[in-house]
Amino acid sequence: MNPIVLTPRDLAVAAILLLVDAALSVALRLGLTRALGIAAVRMVLQLLFIGYVLQRVFAIASPWLTLGVLLLMTAVAAREVAARPERKLRRYGNEAVGLIAVGFATAIASILALTTALRPAPWYDARYAIPLAGIVLGNVLNAASLALDHLLGGVVREKPAIEAQLCLGATIGQAMAPLRRAAVRRGMLPVINQMSAAGLVTLPGIMTGQILAGLDPIQAVKYQILLMFLLSGGSGLSAVAIVYLAGHRLTDARHRLRLDRLA
Amino acid sequence: MASPPRLRAENLRSALAGPFDVSVAAGRCLAVTGASGSGKSLFLRMIADLDPNTGEVWLDGRARSAFTAPAWRRAVAYAAAEPGWWTETVADHFPDLPAARAMAARLGLKEALLDGPVLRLSTGEKQRLALARTLLRASPVLLLDEPTGPLDEDSVGRAEALMRERLAGGAAIVMVTHDPAQAARIGDEHLVMRAGKLEPP
């Protein structure tokens, strides 16, 4: 089965839809024409750019180059995790906990899949490692940022409740436990929703892409199931990691709540 | 040799308040008054080790640094002016329910409040239940931050009776209050907080 090759003309025809949107924006005075145009151009340029980069990286096939690309992707993801929450840990705390949590969870999920299920030769082949790490990163980023946002917001809101427990002799671990659990749950919700809706409400993007590209639906489904397991596993790991790392920064050895470490 | 005071603090300070040098004997109450924002709560929080601070505090001659933080706070119990609640049900906040019911009754509260949700409590009910929560721990030192702030006259009398009982039992109390009359009634010593320093009235 050969994939249907898309020509620039095919893409241009699809772009007509966007022009319809733009016309609607003008007609209904939505004021979106400019934003829509810029976003569309950005999307095309960014994707073409990454397409060429991937082509080069696959061709060069250097493990060091692959590692460099992966680290860059992780750093960008960590920055996103850090930027999302309304509150920030001082001294680049959000960036630090984001980098560790996202890097750790993505590495475990990706290496597991590359060395067991997918097994390309070599296992770190860029053609597999980069797209796989990319999709895991995207989900892990989401889980980590939601968990971090819930923790940092909750710790301010629930300061009186946490300190009331400390004053009655609770350890900081006991006093923080309910908030920690709530934050991890918050981080895990999207991937749980995604799993329960998969196939019924939504056809996941990867699977749709593979079917359109000519792959047998059952094969595409198997890939999707593998991915879902990796994504939920990675999300759980990153949510737990970021909640404990950020929680550690917000407390100290004398069992105090250290909100002075929030910016 | 005289026994050490129940509570002693020396050169206790943070970036925001202090230094404080105080000593409270068993059965005595130090009353602290002062304007809002002058550092009264910071002073109590520092003794309870809730905020970073330097200096040393002793309980019966034993240094705070020799205690784990939870053990210290069980012995030197701080009750905040605005009490916190960590679950929805009042009863969850009391490990010994029969004792809690008895003390609630003594504070003029309906026992049924204990089985209800925190959300339905009035400000005064919350204040008294939080005081009960702290007093029930039978700590040798009590740090009470406006313990009767939002209460009516009858309830203030009931709360003060319980505090006197604790004093008679050998507890030392540091009480922050906005009411000079209360400071005179309960306090054996009265100090005023001005811009993060304790001074005679």
Side-chain angles (χ1 to χ4, degrees), chain A residues 44-194:
Chain A
V44 170
L45 290 180
Q46 285 168 7
L47 288 180
L48 282 178
F49 171 75
I50 204 67
Y52 282 114
V53 168
L54 288 180
Q55 208 171 40
R56 293 294 302 153
V57 170
F58 294 172
I60 296 169
S62 147
W64 296 112
L65 184 61
T66 307
L67 185 66
V69 171
L70 291 175
L71 288 179
L72 187 67
M73 288 161 66
T74 308
V76 173
R79 216 194 61 184
E80 293 299 315
V81 170
R84 245 8 123 240
E86 210 174 316
R87 294 181 186 277
K88 315 269 186 256
L89 291 163
R90 271 182 202 284
R91 295 194 290 139
Y92 298 100
N94 278 21
E95 284 79 1
V97 297
L99 188 67
I100 298 174
V102 160
F104 152 81
T106 304
I108 289 191
S110 306
I111 291 174
L112 177 78
L114 288 171
T115 54
T116 61
L118 299 177
R119 271 180 294 173
W123 66 266
Y124 48 81
D125 185 348
R127 174 174 287 279
Y128 296 86
I130 289 177
L132 183 70
I135 190 168
V136 173
L137 265 180
N139 276 260
V140 155
L141 176 166
N142 199 16
S145 67
L146 288 171
L148 184 62
D149 183 49
H150 190 97
L151 183 81
L152 298 185
V155 88
V156 173
R157 207 173 47 244
E158 291 178 29
K159 179 183 186 231
I162 293 169
E163 290 195 332
Q165 294 176 80
L166 295 178
C167 288
L168 294 168
T171 65
I172 191 74
Q174 291 164 339
M176 293 273 287
L179 179 60
R180 278 193 178 132
R181 277 195 291 271
V184 172
R185 285 176 55 87
R186 182 72 196 85
M188 289 291 286
L189 267 187
V191 79
I192 292 175
N193 289 343
Q194 220 179 324

Side-chain angles (χ1 to χ4, degrees), chain A residues 14-28 30 32-33 36-37:
Chain A
I16 291 175
L17 264 182
L18 203 67
L19 293 180
V20 173
D21 276 359
L24 279 173
S25 169
V26 172
L28 301 175
L30 301 179
L32 283 175
T33 324
L36 200 63

Side-chain angles (χ1 to χ4, degrees), chain A residues 163 168-169 254-256, chain B residues 45 49 67 69 73-74 137:
Chain A
E163 290 195 332
L168 294 168
R254 288 301 286 178
H255 298 256
R256 300 182 188 116
Chain B
R45 289 175 59 88
D49 213 4
F67 289 77
R73 295 189 194 114
R74 274 192 291 273
R137 301 287 166 129

Side-chain angles (χ1 to χ4, degrees), chain B residues 73-87:
Chain B
R73 295 189 194 114
R74 274 192 291 273
V76 179
Y78 169 64
E82 283 184 25
W85 307 88
W86 56 91
T87 72

Side-chain angles (χ1 to χ4, degrees), chain A residues 153-237:
Chain A
V155 88
V156 173
R157 207 173 47 244
E158 291 178 29
K159 179 183 186 231
I162 293 169
E163 290 195 332
Q165 294 176 80
L166 295 178
C167 288
L168 294 168
T171 65
I172 191 74
Q174 291 164 339
M176 293 273 287
L179 179 60
R180 278 193 178 132
R181 277 195 291 271
V184 172
R185 285 176 55 87
R186 182 72 196 85
M188 289 291 286
L189 267 187
V191 79
I192 292 175
N193 289 343
Q194 220 179 324
M195 283 200 287
S196 36
L200 297 178
V201 184
T202 57
L203 273 190
I206 301 278
M207 196 174 110
T208 312
Q210 282 184 317
I211 293 175
L212 286 180
L215 197 68
D216 174 53
I218 293 297
Q219 294 306 318
V221 162
K222 282 197 219 158
Y223 267 97
Q224 190 60 45
I225 292 174
L226 174 71
L227 274 178
M228 281 294 186
F229 286 148
L230 296 181
L231 300 186
S232 50
S235 296
L237 288 177

